[in-house]
Amino acid sequence: MPPTPPDPRGKVYAKIPDRGPGGFDGQLLAFAEELREEGMAVGTSELLDAFAALNEVSWTVQQDFKEALATTLAKSPDDRRTFELVFERFFFRAAEAEAARQEISEAPAGQAGAQGLDVDLDALRRQIAAALQEGSEAAMRDLARLAIAAFGRGEGSGVLGVDVQRIRRALGLRTEPQPDLPPDDPRRDGVPRDQLRRFEQHLRRELERGLIERTSSLPPKRPLTELDRALPTGPIQDLAAVHRVVAQLKRRLATQGHELKGRKRHAHVDVRRTMRASLQTGGVPIELRYRPRRPRRPEIFVLCDVSTSVTSASTFFLSVLHALHDSFRKLRSFVFIERISEVTEVFERERDFRAASEAVSRDAGVADISGYTDYGRVWTEFLALIEDELHPRATVIVLGDARTNGRPPRDDVFAAITARAGRTFWLNPEPRLYWNYGDSVISAYAAHCTAFECWRTDQLEDFVKALTQPVDVRS
Amino acid sequence: MAEDPDDEAEHHDGHEGVQLGLLGGEGEEHDKGTLYLRFVSHAAPSPSPNSVDEVAAGLREVGYLPGESTALVSFLATKLGKPVLVEGPAGVGKTELAKALAKYLERTLVRLQCYEGLDEAKALYEWNYRKQLLRIQTESGEAGWQDVQDDIFGEEFLLPRPLMTAIASAEPVVLLIDEIDKTDQEFEAMLLELLSDFQISIPELGRIEARTQPVVLLTSNNTRELTEALKRRCLYLWLDYPELEHELQIVRLHSPELDEDVARKLVEIVNQVRDLDLRKPPSIAESIDWARALILLGATEIDAETFKQTMSVIVKHRTDLDTVAARVGVKLEPAADASNAA
């Protein structure tokens, strides 16, 4: 393969890499490698399957090609989503790199710019908005190119995200209604959010294409962010999604114990049942019967912050609380803001979540004057309430953001609680990034317990796994 | 509406039809020998598809409208001989896919319904110990130890269960392992041998290998994470609630008597209901049921009144009923005239 000719304009990024070895197979392996980089477990056997599958389908139909790879490589809904994103990114870049290598370029669209193009800008704006309402993918792509030609201003700022947003603003596309526009304008009622996001993706892609063509170099690939990766219903603000996950969690918790039963058979022979079984064999105990292993169903104390700083999260927490109530032998729940109040009864009485959360906000009486959380006071009250009932087999779970509003954290009292309880977990609804900033004192508490970041449903699952894991009893 | 495929081709848990025979190594050391099934092929060759479109058309013909990836994965399953793991919410047609595939491929459907505590004896095979006991008693005395032992661990005393039936069948079958997530991990591990090599090891007999390659479908409601080992051996298919147009086609297919406009409205409402925060969102099966209910009622329009009367077909929880009535029911026009009351 001849080396790429030197580019007089200089390189913005690394030059187009040489094609990897192995032609198409090599490309697929590189693709699998990218999937692995994004955290998918792609094994060799899966790759072999993918190759076998590709033998059976036509490569020229993109849909079939993609589905054949997806069905062999992505084995869960989450993986499937990651796969889609990586597939887009990888094959787009591969195609562009190949085009640059062979020096194929489209008509000099990059130079056309705003001045060379004679379009009615206002008509274009409306056309794009209309296409967004209808949601036609092909029309969106074409219009994205037109929009770049009209508003892109040649080279752009060099940062794709900035250019995308500039063009979007120039087009006057917003998700919220714009009542000052004329009534026949399709933008008047606002543009559907996910459509706008798709259009932005088209813009970004076309801009990237132009950039690669202009500079004949490949910008570094953008790793997937958490936001990309999360399923559209991922964030906990979506209450319906929370309920689905919690329901799932409940079922998982229900099966968890049974899983444990088979794992380690320890040698507690059940004499009575062995004797009874031996009657069948004339009194000879041929078959030993063992005492079944009881799954760990810990005694749990849950403390849930319901103050305004965690409003969105407290609904989440309360529904989790609610779900947990069925799954543990003994669970006592408390809510707190400035004071603490036991709500175990409410949850035992109310099977319906909505009614339960209403009852809690009505009857608990946990806000005093300010409505700000006072952790120090809460710990003291809690300890006074249940000091005698805490024991090494008990688990304490605190749900809260550890923002003390400048009041003393009293981590010494908290330490006293954790010392009495067997295990203590802290669930913080804030991303780890914000911990210990401002009035957050999570580190003071985290020294005495295991703190979990818990603002996405999958993090909640991690926590439940940790909770239900059998632990070695402390010495 | 009797053309529901539920009745036929269900669960061949029978004791008939399985013949095992030793081709080689008869006698002393059959512990190590591989068992082959007596190959008695007298069936007409079942169709073997050559392209994705063929599968899609075939499935459509037997009354199953496959989505984009469903046809492709089914096609790959027949071609590659790999099991398919189908996941998705309840009622999106996972089990129905297996039935349709069996019908299209003109194969028998062998179904194993999984549940907690399912074990080998219920899934694979069991020794018919009563018969063995009888055998021992009739022979007591004269026969030697070895003879009796060889005898009572023969095929005659084997009770095949669904998995064994599927493996041992002379003609290729479709094997449906339904709700695999209900079983425990040990059972999953036991399946591995079957799924990757299509063989079963019986300690007393040896290995039983399949002569024909079954199409295997496993379904899961995702109540627990399946093991990596199992997933690795399967093709993966995620079935979700279908797009509006697709669901409309399905409803139209199953109840063609329903007016097109009504059907469209029905599907739109079902889609709205699914977006609500419900305990159990309506499935495709429930959309179809609702369509049938509307036909029976002779409804020509879904207005607020009809919706209130028939809502319970798609919503099955008391609290859900309230939510749906408050969020969706009020948006419909009130009954125009009383003529369409049941």
Side-chain angles (χ1 to χ4, degrees):
Chain A
M1 181 180 169
T4 36
D7 192 321
R9 283 168 297 179
K11 299 289 180 209
V12 182
Y13 302 110
K15 74 177 171 67
I16 302 286
D18 285 343
R19 227 176 317 181
F24 177 70
D25 295 1
Q27 288 285 337
L28 261 193
L29 290 178
F31 176 57
E33 195 51 49
E34 270 197 28
L35 288 177
R36 285 185 193 134
E37 273 169 32
E38 297 296 350
M40 272 171 65
V42 179
T44 313
S45 69
E46 268 128 339
L47 267 176
L48 289 175
D49 286 349
F51 280 114
L54 287 179
N55 273 334
E56 305 291 343
V57 301
S58 148
W59 297 1
T60 47
V61 186
Q62 202 204 12
Q63 181 74 30
D64 286 2
F65 178 77
K66 185 168 148 189
E67 288 295 337
L69 283 181
T71 189
T72 44
L73 299 178
K75 306 260 165 113
S76 71
D78 292 344
D79 278 1
R80 178 63 204 241
R81 173 131 182 111
T82 312
F83 173 88
E84 298 277 326
L85 295 168
V86 175
F87 184 92
E88 288 278 296
R89 190 181 72 188
F90 180 83
F91 284 99
F92 168 73
R93 287 166 59 87
E96 290 307 312
E98 190 58 35
R101 243 178 255 128
Q102 303 196 359
E103 294 175 17
I104 303 167
S105 68
E106 298 177 0
Q111 289 129 37
Q115 69 278 17
L117 209 74
D118 196 21
V119 281
D120 180 353
L121 294 184
D122 216 46
L124 179 64
R125 286 198 181 102
R126 280 161 182 247
Q127 221 178 335
I128 288 173
L132 285 182
Q133 300 281 10
E134 276 157 33
S136 146
E137 201 76 21
M140 256 198 253
R141 194 172 55 235
D142 290 348
L143 287 167
R145 301 178 67 122
L146 261 180
I148 292 168
F151 299 101
R153 286 190 229 141
E155 298 270 314
S157 65
V159 182
L160 290 179
V162 172
D163 288 346
V164 167
Q165 290 308 317
R166 211 191 53 225
I167 294 174
R168 181 184 65 78
R169 274 197 301 277
L171 288 169
L173 295 173
R174 289 207 207 130
T175 49
E176 62 268 28
Q178 306 178 67
D180 46 331
L181 289 172
D184 60 328
D185 194 297
R187 282 170 296 173
R188 196 181 145 87
D189 297 331
V191 183
R193 186 180 299 274
D194 43 339
Q195 292 287 41
L196 187 59
R197 234 174 65 185
R198 264 161 63 198
F199 184 66
E200 282 176 6
Q201 272 163 12
H202 279 301
L203 278 178
R204 171 180 275 278
R205 154 168 298 207
E206 292 302 328
L207 282 171
E208 204 171 354
R209 197 195 298 279
L211 185 70
I212 293 171
E213 212 171 276
R214 261 199 322 279
T215 60
S216 64
S217 62
L218 217 51
K221 63 176 180 253
R222 201 167 60 97
L224 299 182
T225 61
E226 285 300 330
L227 217 62
D228 292 333
R229 216 193 292 261
L231 292 171
T233 50
I236 59 167
Q237 280 77 10
D238 188 352
L239 201 60
V242 171
H243 286 184
R244 270 193 288 276
V245 169
V246 169
Q248 193 86 323
L249 209 70
K250 227 162 158 177
R251 266 177 293 171
R252 287 202 180 157
L253 276 177
T255 50
Q256 204 114 42
H258 304 284
E259 247 171 71
L260 291 181
K261 252 191 263 171
R263 202 182 284 159
K264 240 190 270 163
R265 296 223 155 80
H266 48 172
H268 280 289
V269 175
D270 188 332
V271 180
R272 215 166 60 90
R273 287 182 58 218
T274 307
M275 294 302 281
R276 182 171 289 172
S278 74
L279 291 180
Q280 284 186 354
T281 45
V284 185
I286 288 179
E287 240 179 280
L288 287 182
R289 295 296 163 96
Y290 296 96
R291 234 175 264 164
R293 183 187 164 129
R294 302 263 173 248
R296 182 189 175 88
R297 295 210 191 277
E299 213 166 291
I300 295 185
F301 295 88
V302 183
L303 292 101
C304 180
D305 187 351
V306 289
S307 69
T308 43
S309 62
V310 283
T311 317
S312 63
S314 28
T315 26
F316 175 55
F317 283 165
L318 282 174
S319 61
V320 174
L321 255 186
H322 190 235
L324 290 178
H325 240 280
D326 295 339
S327 308
F328 292 100
R329 192 163 51 86
K330 202 166 172 196
L331 180 100
R332 293 181 62 184
S333 26
F334 301 83
V335 291
F336 65 86
I337 300 179
E338 291 187 281
R339 327 185 36 144
I340 193 159
S341 161
E342 180 158 4
V343 291
T344 313
E345 266 187 24
V346 178
F347 279 99
E348 272 165 8
R349 197 176 58 228
E350 293 289 351
R351 307 312 283 174
D352 180 37
F353 167 69
R354 212 162 287 124
S357 63
E358 268 168 28
V360 165
S361 58
R362 195 180 53 233
D363 308 333
V366 285
D368 225 6
I369 311 151
S370 62
Y372 296 124
T373 321
D374 184 348
Y375 279 94
R377 181 164 166 196
V378 165
W379 301 143
T380 322
E381 283 189 13
F382 179 67
L383 195 60
L385 256 174
I386 54 142
E387 185 165 22
D388 302 333
E389 294 169 57
L390 277 179
H391 52 83
R393 285 190 59 83
T395 302
V396 175
I397 305 171
V398 184
L399 312 162
D401 58 0
R403 294 199 173 270
T404 53
N405 304 298
R407 290 164 171 167
R410 296 299 303 274
D411 47 321
D412 53 321
V413 187
F414 184 69
I417 295 174
T418 58
R420 281 167 199 275
R423 295 183 299 173
T424 310
F425 295 107
W426 190 298
L427 297 187
N428 195 329
E430 288 184 336
R432 209 171 269 272
L433 195 64
Y434 304 139
W435 290 15
N436 300 317
Y437 275 91
D439 56 352
S440 166
V441 290
I442 181 78
S443 67
Y445 297 134
H448 306 290
C449 63
T450 326
F452 285 85
E453 178 186 12
C454 187
W455 51 285
R456 281 202 324 264
T457 45
D458 57 322
Q459 293 166 337
L460 179 66
E461 277 187 44
D462 286 345
F463 161 69
V464 171
K465 258 179 223 155
L467 178 66
T468 46
Q469 229 168 37
V471 286
D472 306 321
V473 179
R474 287 184 192 175
S475 49
Chain B
M1 310 294 126
E3 78 272 311
D4 219 309
D6 290 20
D7 311 332
E8 69 234 52
E10 282 267 5
H11 195 170
H12 260 246
D13 187 10
H15 305 198
E16 88 280 2
V18 179
Q19 300 166 314
L20 307 171
L22 289 167
L23 286 193
E26 195 123 33
E28 249 68 322
E29 38 159 48
H30 56 226
D31 269 2
K32 284 168 245 139
T34 300
L35 270 172
Y36 288 104
L37 311 168
R38 226 173 276 143
F39 195 42
V40 271
S41 177
H42 41 68
S46 47
S48 108
N50 286 315
S51 76
V52 181
D53 296 337
E54 234 173 85
V55 178
L59 286 176
R60 227 169 271 135
E61 222 162 82
V62 294
Y64 185 92
L65 294 178
E68 286 166 7
S69 46
T70 313
L72 183 112
V73 175
S74 314
F75 170 69
L76 285 179
T78 58
K79 277 288 172 192
L80 303 181
K82 289 195 78 83
V84 181
L85 173 63
V86 192
E87 280 191 322
V92 290
K94 299 187 289 289
T95 310
E96 216 51 46
L97 172 65
K99 290 180 184 167
L101 260 182
K103 221 169 172 186
Y104 159 56
L105 295 169
E106 293 167 19
R107 294 183 180 191
T108 321
L109 180 72
V110 179
R111 180 172 177 174
L112 173 68
Q113 180 68 48
C114 295
Y115 50 86
E116 228 181 282
L118 178 69
D119 59 359
E120 289 141 351
K122 298 273 167 46
L124 271 178
Y125 67 89
E126 199 170 11
W127 290 108
N128 190 345
Y129 77 95
R130 291 188 194 82
K131 208 167 165 190
Q132 283 174 331
L133 276 180
L134 279 176
R135 182 82 185 82
I136 295 167
Q137 279 174 4
T138 49
E139 272 206 35
S140 59
E142 45 289 21
W145 163 255
Q146 194 64 45
D147 288 343
V148 176
Q149 192 202 5
D150 289 350
D151 207 27
I152 62 169
F153 290 116
E155 53 180 281
E156 201 193 333
F157 300 94
L158 204 60
L159 289 177
R161 300 297 184 199
L163 293 182
M164 179 82 140
T165 316
I167 285 283
S169 164
E171 293 146 31
V173 296
V174 173
L175 171 62
L176 167 64
I177 303 176
D178 215 359
E179 307 196 356
I180 175 78
D181 50 334
K182 293 269 158 60
T183 60
D184 37 25
Q185 288 189 349
E186 287 79 13
F187 183 80
E188 231 177 85
M190 193 212 74
L191 275 180
L192 295 181
E193 184 190 12
L194 179 91
L195 293 180
S196 54
D197 301 331
F198 294 107
Q199 65 177 32
I200 294 172
S201 298
I202 301 178
E204 296 87 351
L205 276 179
R207 244 171 9 186
I208 295 193
E209 282 186 0
R211 268 301 178 84
T212 58
Q213 193 128 67
V215 171
V216 185
L217 276 96
L218 299 99
T219 74
S220 153
N221 282 333
N222 208 8
T223 51
R224 79 181 166 84
E225 200 68 40
L226 298 174
T227 57
E228 284 295 316
L230 183 82
K231 282 185 168 179
R232 190 165 300 136
R233 283 166 176 80
C234 297
L235 301 175
Y236 184 82
L237 175 64
W238 172 259
L239 281 184
D240 213 334
Y241 295 119
E243 304 274 308
L244 200 138
E245 289 300 321
H246 188 201
E247 184 164 13
L248 180 63
Q249 283 176 18
I250 296 173
V251 171
R252 298 272 295 149
L253 182 84
H254 283 267
S255 37
E257 304 93 329
L258 195 67
D259 186 63
E260 164 127 32
D261 292 336
V262 179
R264 178 170 291 275
K265 186 147 188 203
L266 178 149
V267 175
E268 279 170 7
I269 292 177
V270 169
N271 265 293
Q272 280 177 31
V273 171
R274 265 182 212 145
D275 284 342
L276 298 176
D277 174 17
L278 296 186
R279 279 172 149 195
K280 190 205 166 300
S283 66
I284 302 179
E286 276 150 342
S287 316
I288 295 171
D289 285 348
W290 194 24
R292 287 178 182 163
L294 289 178
I295 294 172
L296 284 178
L297 289 173
T300 51
E301 232 299 40
I302 305 180
D303 50 36
E305 189 59 32
T306 335
F307 183 70
K308 209 172 137 197
Q309 283 170 3
T310 54
M311 186 166 64
S312 56
V313 180
I314 54 167
V315 187
K316 307 275 168 78
H317 273 282
R318 189 186 57 77
T319 47
D320 286 359
L321 279 172
D322 296 346
T323 319
V324 171
R327 302 283 292 278
V328 178
V330 292
K331 286 190 202 152
L332 300 166
E333 307 97 58
D337 54 304
S339 66
N340 52 15

